[in-house]
Amino acid sequence: MKLLPVTCAIAALSFGSHAFAWDFVLLDSDKPASNQRITSEQLGIKVDKPFSISMRTLHGGRQEGVSLIDIDNGTMKLTVVPTRGMNVLSAQVGSARMGWDSPVKEVVNPAFIELNGRGGLGWLEGFNELVTRCGYEWVGHPGMDNGELLTLHGRAANIPASKVTVHIDETPPYAIHVRGELKEQAFKKVDFSVQTELVTEPGAARFVLNDTLTNNGDYPKEYQALYHSNFSTPFLEEGARFAAPVKQVSPFNDKAKADLGEWQTYRAPTPDYDETVYNVVPYGDAKGDTLTVLHNKAASLGVAVGFNVQQLPVFSLWKNTDTRGQGYVTGLEPGTSFSYNRRYQRPLNLVPTIGPKEQRQFSISYSLLADKPAVDKALQQVKSIQDGRATEVRQTPLVDLSKE
């Protein structure tokens, strides 16, 4: 394998920094795919935590032809799915897995999914990832809007990447960048591209997603984005808690309204529970940065999801504490919008517009909190961002869904 040092713009866990890097092409729509393996040893990098990046192709069933990228940074093992919107399938540190057990066991090729099926719920037939990109033309529940059926949570999660590259910084800490390009296009409708990036560092129990949405068209367009980030055991259990600096919280619907008093705590797997969802408007710090935390009952293990409220101003908390077989899972979901159908969100000013050739950037961090001091530190950060500011608890949903 020929190694080509290049100079390029590298986001070292954030946008806009510059560094020298090794550059590799894993997938390109103009070239045949080739399964590769890149290691720190091959590159002559001496680190305490040797790392590797490799690509493989799945065969059989509805996952036929799906490409996976496995990243082992020496501490955390991550799997990214270029065939499915560059979604993050799972992340694991030791025995602690960030992800969940969906009834969907295969990594389903979008070619076998009909998004319009099941009344617009066909998206669920492939839903099993740790992080699923939702958008970008719309997000939310299926339904009609301006005479068009909008399917559940948009198309992004089922768009195969057109090109995938790996960049590795030539200088410590040798950050690993996996980038993909998604194209959401329809004649007369939309001409979006999304440059996705996952960044992690050797030895870190953390990764960051940096995405750039571009409107390539000649007219302004509505857009929405939501990052459906899904966790189960060992973080989710009876007595587990969610924490965030909250400006406002409201129930998504009447079912959630009935459980509003316990919206931050979780049940054990509960038959027939189905789901409840809460709409959260988080506070940010002086720069707009905020942090959300899920931790187990003992507060000895958790995960933290960080983002910027200027980019992603609202947050959905999805609590699906049904049986383990049905899918015992919670979703921590920063977004431009809640999960209502788009037609309900315009009056809430949650359907932003992007002008011709304009760009929007989204950055979300995911960190494993491996022990009680790490959980306590994250909770203290949440408290610091809250800074004594009041939380408004709305007793009724923002949208009246009873007439649907």
Side-chain angles (χ1 to χ4, degrees), residues 95-174:
S95 61
R97 182 192 58 160
M98 299 163 68
W100 64 296
D101 293 315
S102 169
V104 179
K105 302 304 180 188
E106 295 181 324
V107 185
V108 181
N109 193 317
F112 300 110
I113 293 177
E114 176 53 60
L115 294 179
N116 288 344
R118 302 179 182 272
L121 292 172
W123 183 90
L124 295 173
E125 295 189 7
F127 179 49
N128 62 5
E129 296 103 336
L130 163 60
V131 184
T132 304
R133 287 179 172 84
C134 302
Y136 285 85
E137 195 177 0
W138 71 81
V139 301
H141 284 195
M144 300 302 295
D145 180 38
N146 292 331
E148 180 181 10
L149 173 63
L150 305 185
T151 58
L152 178 63
H153 283 323
R155 291 185 289 254
N158 289 279
I159 298 176
S162 300
K163 186 173 183 177
V164 179
T165 60
V166 173
H167 301 260
I168 302 170
D169 290 358
E170 280 192 336
T171 55
Y174 305 108

